[in-house]
Amino acid sequence: MISSEHPFEIIHDFVFDRTRSIRQDLSIQNIIDEHAIEMYEKMVEFHIISHLKLAKSHRDPDNSSLHYLNMEQLTKCLLSLYEIYDLNRSPEFIIKKENEFHSFYVLLHLGRKNSIMKESLSLWFRHLSSQILLSREMRFARTLLSYFRMGNYKRFFAILAMEASQLQLRLIEPFLNEVRVQALSCINHSGYKLQPYPLELLAELLMIKEHELESLCCECGLQIITDELGCKLLPAKQSNFHHPKSDLESYSLTTPVKFHR
Amino acid sequence: MSFTSMGEAHRRIADFLNRFSEAVSTQDGASLKSLLSVSSNSSLLLSLADDLNLYQDWSRLVKQAERNSHTLGEILVPHLRCVQSYRSGRFVEAYAAFEKSANAFLQEFRNWETAWAVEAMHVVAHEIRILAELADKELASLGKNPEKLQGAGSFLMKVFGSLAGKGPKRVGALYVTCQLFKAYFKLGTVHLCRSVIRSIETAKFFDFEEFPSSDKVTYMYYTGRLEVYNENFVAADQKLTYALMHCNSRHEANLRMILKYLIPVKLSIGILPKMSLLDKFHLTEYTNIVKALKQGDLRLLRRALQEHEDQFLRTGVYLVLEKLELQVYQRLVKKIYIFQKQKDPSKAHQIKLDVIVKALKWLEIDMDVDEVECMMAILIYKNLMKGYFAHKSKVVVLSKQEPFPKLNGKPVSS
């Protein structure tokens, strides 16, 4: 799948179609054992990797719908996978990746809701076993989501650095700019006009390269000033602030820290 | 144990069949009801089951009785099979039979123009749900896919359809809606209720006030809960308060169920219940949360959430309660402000971020200056505080007028 010969979108399309037919086959033939689990887990991984790659290749405007469709498929796969987990539950059969794969559904709520997510997250939680809900991976996802909902950008990025697994991070990455834009909005609204915010510090807090933060500010209509020492600063109370006009432009920004688990 | 002869069993079965067809021909809904409630474990049906087991050839009796009405046989044969299976604890069988009977009953019901059989239809609606739940338990224990409740849900939709119209039967629609809620809440597929809710609320055929009071309370309870899950607090407050106000004050268990959801809603819009209320209804899981809000004690809030984490997740209010942290922060900063005001009113409106860091440390909460600054920015952004933060001076400057706006029945702005 990671071949550089063909543009990713074409590969994605091909595999996307294949995974969709596999899912249909599995469901028609009612195959629900460990092999089904393995296949679904692989499909979910594919969609997560696509999710990140599609987010990054922002030049083609068609990609936003591809990206959205991919998220829908990812959600569908996850929900089917959870049903199969439930059907295979027994004391002898330990499902290894269950906790992590459940956490993905929570993390998807960092983005905008898609049409497959028909129920609220609170309702979804009600039907999960305590064992899953209180697992490390789920706790991480729930905590991250709560920082997101509260707007606590400081902790959001800090915990991300410390606890996200590879797959979790790939899933979260396309949503990071939304969090950063929120932080900018907040600081711009609540800051003191005469004491602008040092960009370097902000970049550190938001885990982004300084020059990329500058671009992001630009996309939000925010101006950056430079002081006598050459340090870049973000003045507050700028009236031109707006959310970036197009989703896609923001995705070129990435986190500078590499996480391994 | 009395010895039942075949003859007696035969007689009692024939008796039952007669009662059934009598009830239908005289349009006696009350009598019909009691003949249908399989799960009630009434002595009538329990002994009937024994008779059916004894007199194995009972379907012949039904055919004989059918000279009155062919269609009743379609209802009665599976119904009796259900009664038999239920008695033996074979719930999957019982459900399958009941579903057949229920569908036949519904077909007849559609033809009866007046509302005489609505209560009986209600019993059918109730029973199909209960039997489906029992059947699903049995299926799950056998390692099979529990899909009967889903099927019951589809049937209930059909029943709802038969009641949605201009005729007199429409007052029965809300009861069926509530059965649907119970089924879909249990299944976790609550979005399937949306079309039904829309039907009820767009008042094309229905006048909400016409429905029986107890149905209205149940309806508002469930739709109120939905609003809680979707975090629409104003709507949730409205609906759950309605349920509370109109609920029979003697039904303490029901009042408690309503309060379980209403309290987190009230807290989210800045209204705190009295401790005596929490005690009266044994809702002590909320005690420390209310205290934390009153005192600005962040540590207490977090502890309370952790202590009852599982319970709150099961109820579905955990995410709602988590959000209360912002209001607790607000209270904490307000306390610092009040304290400073007492010491030196002229400087009270300027609070050093370090002071807040210290206050949190005293609560055993480890937050650095950057995070405190972040939280202050958020509180101001969400209008829980009026003022601004000065990054270089590491200070938050509060507005001289009403620096801590009250929520006043509105949720924290998003």
Side-chain angles (χ1 to χ4, degrees):
Chain A
M1 216 176 46
I2 324 289
S3 107
S4 46
E5 272 176 42
H6 305 278
F8 180 75
E9 293 78 14
I10 296 185
I11 300 175
H12 169 82
D13 249 353
F14 176 82
V15 183
F16 188 105
D17 269 340
R18 290 288 156 290
T19 65
R20 194 159 43 181
S21 354
I22 295 174
R23 263 195 313 114
Q24 278 170 348
D25 271 343
L26 286 175
S27 112
I28 289 170
Q29 295 185 45
N30 209 27
I31 299 172
I32 55 169
D33 61 4
E34 319 91 77
H35 299 295
I37 290 181
E38 226 179 300
M39 282 190 267
Y40 269 103
E41 285 177 354
K42 281 254 146 38
M43 284 191 270
V44 167
E45 286 184 33
F46 162 72
H47 285 298
I48 290 179
I49 294 171
S50 303
H51 172 73
L52 181 56
K53 282 201 189 268
L54 287 173
K56 281 188 173 164
S57 58
H58 59 277
R59 268 167 288 268
D60 187 351
D62 282 336
N63 273 359
S64 77
S65 57
L66 260 185
H67 179 79
Y68 183 79
L69 286 173
N70 183 63
M71 271 209 283
E72 281 193 336
Q73 286 307 307
L74 169 57
T75 313
K76 266 196 205 158
C77 272
L78 282 172
L79 293 176
S80 303
L81 176 58
Y82 301 150
E83 276 179 31
I84 301 182
Y85 280 152
D86 282 339
L87 291 171
N88 278 283
R89 210 170 293 284
S90 76
E92 310 92 43
F93 183 58
I94 301 169
I95 306 170
K96 282 176 266 172
K97 300 187 188 167
E98 191 176 26
N99 296 332
E100 193 189 9
F101 276 73
H102 273 92
S103 76
F104 295 152
Y105 188 74
V106 177
L107 295 171
L108 278 173
H109 285 74
L110 290 170
R112 253 154 274 166
K113 243 188 168 187
N114 64 52
S115 67
I116 314 293
M117 294 169 160
K118 297 204 168 75
E119 309 294 351
S120 69
L121 195 57
S122 288
L123 203 69
W124 188 71
F125 281 155
R126 283 182 81 217
H127 289 83
L128 287 185
S129 71
S130 301
Q131 179 217 336
I132 297 175
L133 271 175
L134 306 179
S135 68
R136 187 173 49 88
E137 294 88 339
M138 275 298 271
R139 271 244 166 81
F140 162 71
R142 284 168 47 207
T143 308
L144 195 70
L145 191 68
S146 88
Y147 290 143
F148 171 69
R149 278 152 51 91
M150 234 177 314
N152 187 341
Y153 50 82
K154 163 86 210 281
R155 283 271 170 168
F156 180 91
F157 284 98
I159 193 182
L160 193 59
M162 276 202 304
E163 297 194 30
S165 71
Q166 281 264 32
L167 275 175
Q168 282 172 333
L169 183 61
R170 283 206 173 105
L171 183 55
I172 297 166
E173 224 180 283
F175 304 131
L176 291 179
N177 283 334
E178 180 65 40
V179 183
R180 292 171 179 136
V181 167
Q182 261 306 106
L184 289 175
S185 178
C186 198
I187 291 172
N188 183 50
H189 175 272
S190 315
Y192 184 34
K193 205 166 179 178
L194 298 178
Q195 291 188 16
Y197 211 102
L199 216 61
E200 190 185 348
L201 172 61
L202 192 53
E204 211 182 291
L205 288 175
L206 301 180
M207 295 204 170
I208 186 176
K209 299 200 180 86
E210 196 181 328
H211 70 89
E212 289 174 333
L213 180 56
E214 205 178 335
S215 312
L216 189 59
C217 287
C218 203
E219 282 178 41
C220 295
L222 291 173
Q223 286 192 330
I224 304 292
I225 60 177
T226 315
D227 68 6
E228 328 79 63
L229 300 166
C231 297
K232 299 225 163 110
L233 306 167
L234 172 68
K237 301 283 195 280
Q238 293 191 43
S239 53
N240 285 332
F241 174 84
H242 58 79
H243 271 76
K245 293 210 171 83
S246 109
D247 285 335
L248 304 170
E249 293 180 57
S250 319
Y251 294 140
S252 64
L253 306 169
T254 58
T255 57
V257 186
K258 288 289 171 241
F259 313 134
H260 296 288
R261 195 159 276 274
Chain B
M1 195 177 85
S2 61
F3 173 74
T4 311
S5 71
M6 286 279 272
E8 281 173 33
H10 175 293
R11 189 179 49 77
R12 280 198 290 263
I13 295 171
D15 215 36
F16 181 90
L17 297 174
N18 274 333
R19 282 173 71 171
F20 198 98
S21 64
E22 268 289 296
V24 172
S25 53
T26 59
Q27 300 199 335
D28 182 357
S31 302
L32 191 56
K33 264 171 59 173
S34 56
L35 305 176
L36 293 166
S37 34
V38 178
S39 71
S40 65
N41 293 319
S42 65
S43 52
L44 168 71
L45 292 175
L46 286 177
S47 56
L48 179 66
D50 290 336
D51 294 332
L52 294 168
N53 280 330
L54 194 59
Y55 192 87
Q56 301 266 330
D57 198 16
W58 51 262
S59 54
R60 198 166 49 83
L61 288 179
V62 181
K63 287 204 174 64
Q64 283 176 356
E66 266 190 281
R67 34 171 230 282
N68 281 340
S69 157
H70 166 70
T71 46
L72 284 192
E74 308 256 304
I75 300 172
L76 281 165
V77 171
H79 180 58
L80 293 178
R81 248 190 279 128
C82 171
V83 170
Q84 233 184 328
S85 305
Y86 180 83
R87 178 76 160 120
S88 320
R90 297 192 303 270
F91 298 120
V92 178
E93 256 180 45
Y95 173 80
F98 193 85
E99 197 185 35
K100 220 170 164 203
S101 170
N103 272 296
F105 185 86
L106 179 59
Q107 248 187 328
E108 277 310 290
F109 179 77
R110 284 193 222 266
N111 298 330
W112 298 325
E113 278 169 23
T114 66
W116 75 266
V118 166
E119 276 183 45
M121 190 73 242
H122 283 175
V123 170
V124 172
H126 176 261
E127 292 298 307
I128 202 171
R129 181 178 63 85
I130 300 295
L131 292 171
E133 289 180 16
L134 290 168
D136 276 351
K137 251 195 222 146
E138 190 177 299
L139 286 170
S141 69
L142 297 168
K144 296 206 189 125
N145 192 18
E147 23 94 88
K148 299 303 181 191
L149 190 55
Q150 234 171 311
S154 305
F155 175 78
L156 289 170
M157 283 293 195
K158 283 198 274 188
V159 177
F160 181 84
S162 74
L163 296 168
K166 288 189 222 147
K169 291 184 227 168
R170 69 184 189 280
V171 282
L174 207 59
Y175 180 87
V176 177
T177 306
C178 293
Q179 292 303 313
L180 270 164
F181 283 154
K182 291 184 189 193
Y184 285 140
F185 267 72
K186 190 151 193 161
L187 288 167
T189 52
V190 165
H191 67 279
L192 294 171
C193 298
R194 247 180 250 156
S195 60
V196 169
I197 293 175
R198 229 180 296 132
S199 282
I200 299 275
E201 296 189 0
T202 45
K204 197 167 160 204
F205 307 120
F206 300 117
D207 177 5
F208 194 73
E209 294 313 309
E210 281 183 332
F211 292 121
S213 183
S214 59
D215 290 345
K216 285 190 282 194
V217 169
T218 310
Y219 179 83
M220 286 298 201
Y221 166 72
Y222 280 105
T223 50
R225 275 175 68 181
L226 267 181
E227 302 285 10
V228 176
Y229 295 144
N230 293 325
E231 299 189 10
N232 301 327
F233 297 127
V234 174
D237 185 24
Q238 208 182 12
K239 294 183 182 178
L240 292 171
T241 302
Y242 179 101
L244 191 71
M245 294 286 129
H246 293 82
C247 180
N248 188 322
S249 55
R250 272 176 289 149
H251 295 164
E252 286 213 2
N254 288 350
L255 289 171
R256 181 172 187 275
M257 274 164 56
I258 298 169
L259 283 168
K260 218 187 229 203
Y261 288 94
L262 186 55
I263 289 170
V265 172
K266 290 287 193 192
L267 294 177
S268 301
I269 57 179
I271 298 170
L272 272 54
K274 292 205 176 93
M275 290 302 182
S276 53
L277 182 74
L278 299 179
D279 285 331
K280 178 175 179 193
F281 289 97
H282 310 291
L283 289 166
T284 48
E285 62 264 33
Y286 294 125
T287 307
N288 282 338
I289 296 187
V290 174
K291 266 200 201 136
L293 280 164
K294 278 196 183 145
Q295 297 164 0
D297 190 342
L298 194 58
R299 176 181 48 179
L300 188 59
L301 177 72
R302 288 182 179 176
R303 263 203 207 140
L305 282 175
Q306 207 174 13
E307 193 184 334
H308 302 286
E309 188 177 8
D310 202 54
Q311 187 180 9
F312 289 146
L313 284 167
R314 297 279 150 238
T315 326
V317 297
Y318 188 90
L319 294 179
V320 171
L321 295 171
E322 235 183 12
K323 264 181 153 173
L324 295 174
E325 237 189 59
L326 285 175
Q327 285 165 251
V328 176
Y329 275 116
Q330 182 203 41
R331 183 68 195 152
L332 177 65
V333 181
K334 188 171 185 181
K335 276 174 83 167
I336 297 173
Y337 168 73
I338 292 171
F339 182 72
Q340 284 189 184
K341 220 174 177 187
Q342 287 169 346
K343 282 174 71 183
D344 183 354
S346 64
K347 295 220 192 82
H349 64 287
Q350 284 193 34
I351 303 181
K352 293 208 177 97
L353 297 185
D354 276 326
V355 170
I356 303 174
V357 171
K358 270 203 201 103
L360 289 165
K361 230 183 218 127
W362 195 70
L363 286 172
E364 291 173 346
I365 294 181
D366 195 19
M367 233 185 249
D368 65 13
V369 159
D370 288 327
E371 194 180 348
V372 170
E373 183 184 68
C374 170
M375 292 317 294
M376 294 304 108
I378 295 164
L379 287 177
I380 296 167
Y381 187 74
K382 300 209 175 208
N383 207 35
L384 283 167
M385 249 169 45
K386 280 214 178 96
Y388 58 82
F389 74 88
H391 174 76
K392 205 163 177 201
S393 321
K394 297 209 186 310
V395 114
V396 64
V397 179
L398 298 169
S399 155
K400 296 247 173 83
Q401 277 187 333
E402 218 204 344
F404 301 98
K406 287 208 157 97
L407 287 177
N408 277 335
K410 286 211 196 96
V412 176
S413 46
S414 302

